C-alpha cells in the first residue's frame, strides 16, 4: 500500500523512436542551453506551429486573439494553432518525433507526458521563457515538478486543474443523501439518483484518454501504486484490484453509452441532465450555463470521493508549455510562449473557459483582473473548492512529495493499459485480479525500455 507516503493536504514505441532522435535531440538541448536568450526580436519571415490539446471553441477564439496580438507585435512571424485531441496526442507525438516533423511548441500537455518527453531528451529548456515573465511569480510546486537533473526547467507550467466531483444539489437533496466523501457513499448516492431517464453518475469506460487518466486517481485513492519508490513495478496489488472493481460497481449507474466515453461525453451527460454527477474540472460551469441554464443554479462540486480506509488523493494536471528540442524555430517559439504568459494574454485564455484552468502565477491567482468574470463570481464557493483541491493534488508522475519521479508515467498512460483493463473487467467480465495481473506484465515491459 502507499500509506507510507502522506498524501498532499504512451506508448513504448515512442521510447523506441528515441533511438532515432537521441543524438540530435541532445545536441539541440546543449545548443539551446549554451546561449543566453533575451526576449528581443529581429524581423524574420517564419511560421511557428503550435499544438494544443485545449481546443474547445472558446479557447480557439482566445488563441485567435492572442495570435493576432503576437503577430502585430512581431512582424514577419506567423503562428499556426494546430488542435490535437487528448486521445491522439501520444500517437501523434510518436509519429512527429519519429518523422522529424515536430511542432515548434506544444501547449497544455499534462505532467506525465511532459516528464516522459524530458526523460527521452526531447524537450528544450524553458528557463528563458519563465525568466522573461518572472520565474518568482510561479507557485513553487509548479516549478519543482518541472525541474530537471541540472536544476533547469524543462517545461513552463501554464495552469493547473483537478478532477472534482460535480453533482446536482437538487437531485442529491431529493435522494436524501449528503455529498459523498467515500466510494461507498458515492455508490449509494449514485444508486438512489438513478431513476427513470436519470443516471446517478457519468464515468469513462472507453479506450480513451480520460479513462487512462482517471485510473491513476482511483489506484492512488485505494492505497495502491503503479511504480514503487525504488522504480519497481508494484501494480499487481489488492489495492489496485479494488480500484478497478470500483469502476465495475459504478457501471450500472452510468449512461448506456459510457463504454466509449472520454472527456467530452462524460461532461455532456452531466451538462444535459442525463447524469446527476461526474468527475470533471471547472469546465462544467461554463458548459452548463451555456448549454443548459435551467440547471445552472443547481450544480456544485466537492473533492472527489476516495476509498474508505484509502488515501485522500487527487490528480493535479500541471498543464505545460513546452518546446521540442529539435524544433525549427527555437527563438520564435520562446517569444511565443513568453507572450502567452504575459498578464493580458494569460488571463484572456483562462477566461475563455473560466474555472477550467487554475492560474499558477501568484500575481494572477490573487489579482482582481482574473477574478473579474461573471462565472467566477457566481461560483465563488466552487472555485474555492477547485483551487484547494488543486493545491493539495499531485501529478501521477510524482504522487507524493517525497516520492521519486516516475519518468515513464507518460509512456504508461499513453499505452492505454489502464483503459484496456477497465474494459476487460467491466465489459468482458474478466476478474479484476486477472486483468490487473495482465496489466502488471505490460507495465513491466514498458519499464524495461
Amino acid at each position: 500500500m502507499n500509506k507510507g507516503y502522506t498524501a498532499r493536504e504512451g506508448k513504448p514505441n515512442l521510447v523506441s523512436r528515441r533511438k532515432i532522435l537521441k543524438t540530435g535531440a541532445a545536441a539541440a538541448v546543449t545548443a539551446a542551453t549554451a546561449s543566453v536568450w533575451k526576449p528581443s526580436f529581429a524581423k524574420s519571415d517564419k511560421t511557428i506551429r503550435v499544438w494544443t490539446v485545449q481546443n474547445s471553441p472558446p479557447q480557439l477564439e482566445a488563441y485567435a486573439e492572442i495570435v493576432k496580438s503576437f503577430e502585430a507585435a512581431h512582424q514577419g512571424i506567423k503562428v499556426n494553432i494546430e488542435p490535437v485531441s487528448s486521445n491522439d496526442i501520444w500517437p501523434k507525438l510518436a509519429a512527429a518525433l519519429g518523422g522529424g516533423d515536430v511542432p515548434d511548441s506544444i501547449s497544455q500537455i499534462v505532467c506525465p507526458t511532459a516528464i516522459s518527453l524530458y526523460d527521452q531528451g526531447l524537450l528544450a529548456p524553458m528557463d528563458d521563457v519563465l525568466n522573461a515573465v518572472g520565474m518568482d511569480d510561479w507557485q513553487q510546486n509548479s516549478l519543482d515538478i518541472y525541474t530537471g537533473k541540472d536544476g533547469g526547467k524543462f517545461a513552463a507550467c501554464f495552469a493547473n486543474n483537478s478532477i472534482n466531483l460535480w453533482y446536482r444539489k437538487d437531485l442529491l437533496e431529493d435522494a436524501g443523501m449528503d455529498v459523498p466523501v467515500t466510494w461507498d457513499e458515492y455508490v449509494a448516492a449514485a444508486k438512489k439518483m438513478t431513476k427513470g431517464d436519470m443516471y446517478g453518475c457519468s464515468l469513462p469506460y472507453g479506450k480513451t484518454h480520460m479513462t487512462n487518466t482517471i485510473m491513476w486517481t482511483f489506484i492512488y485513492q485505494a492505497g495502491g501504486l503503479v511504480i514503487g519508490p525504488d522504480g519497481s513495478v508494484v501494480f499487481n496489488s489488492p489495492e489496485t484490484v479494488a480500484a478497478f472493481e470500483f469502476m465495475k460497481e459504478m457501471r450500472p449507474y452510468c449512461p448506456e453509452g459510457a463504454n466509449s466515453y472520454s472527456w467530452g461525453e462524460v461532461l455532456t451527460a452531466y451538462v444535459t441532465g442525463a447524469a446527476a454527477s461526474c468527475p470533471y474540472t471547472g469546465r462544467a460551469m461554463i458548459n452548463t450555463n451555456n448549454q443548459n441554464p435551467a440547471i445552472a443554479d443547481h450544480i456544485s462540486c466537492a473533492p472527489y470521493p476516495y476509498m474508505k480506509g484509502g488515501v485522500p488523493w487527487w490528480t493535479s494536471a500541471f498543464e505545460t508549455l513546452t518546446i521540442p528540442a529539435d524544433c525549427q524555430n527555437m527563438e520564435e517559439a520562446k517569444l511565443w510562449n513568453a507572450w502567452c504568459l504575459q498578464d493580458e494574454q494569460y488571463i484572456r485564455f483562462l477566461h475563455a473557459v473560466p474555472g477550467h484552468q487554475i492560474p499558477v502565477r501568484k500575481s494572477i491567482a490573487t489579482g482582481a483582473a482574473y477574478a473579474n468574470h461573471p462565472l467566477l463570481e457566481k461560483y465563488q464557493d466552487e472555485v474555492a473548492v477547485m483551487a484547494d483541491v488543486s493545491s493539495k493534488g499531485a501529478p501521477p508522475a510524482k504522487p507524493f512529495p517525497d516520492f521519486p519521479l516516475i519518468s515513464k508515467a507518460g509512456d504508461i498512460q499513453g499505452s492505454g493499459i489502464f483503459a484496456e483493463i477497465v474494459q476487460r473487467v467491466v465489459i468482458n467480465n474478466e476478474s479484476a485480479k486477472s486483468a490487473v495481473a495482465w496489466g502488471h506484465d505490460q507495465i513491466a515491459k514498458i519499464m524495461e525500455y
Side-chain angles (χ1 to χ4, degrees), residues 6-8 26 39 87 169 182 209 233 272 286 314-315 387 389 397 431:
T6 304
R8 291 187 67 197
N87 292 327
K169 295 182 289 185
T182 67
H209 183 267
V233 180
T272 59
I286 189 170
W314 301 281
T315 298
V389 172
S431 74

Side-chain angles (χ1 to χ4, degrees), residues 134 151 163 231 280 339 351 375 395 412:
I163 301 298
Y280 222 86
W339 188 264
H351 277 179
L375 282 182
I412 295 169

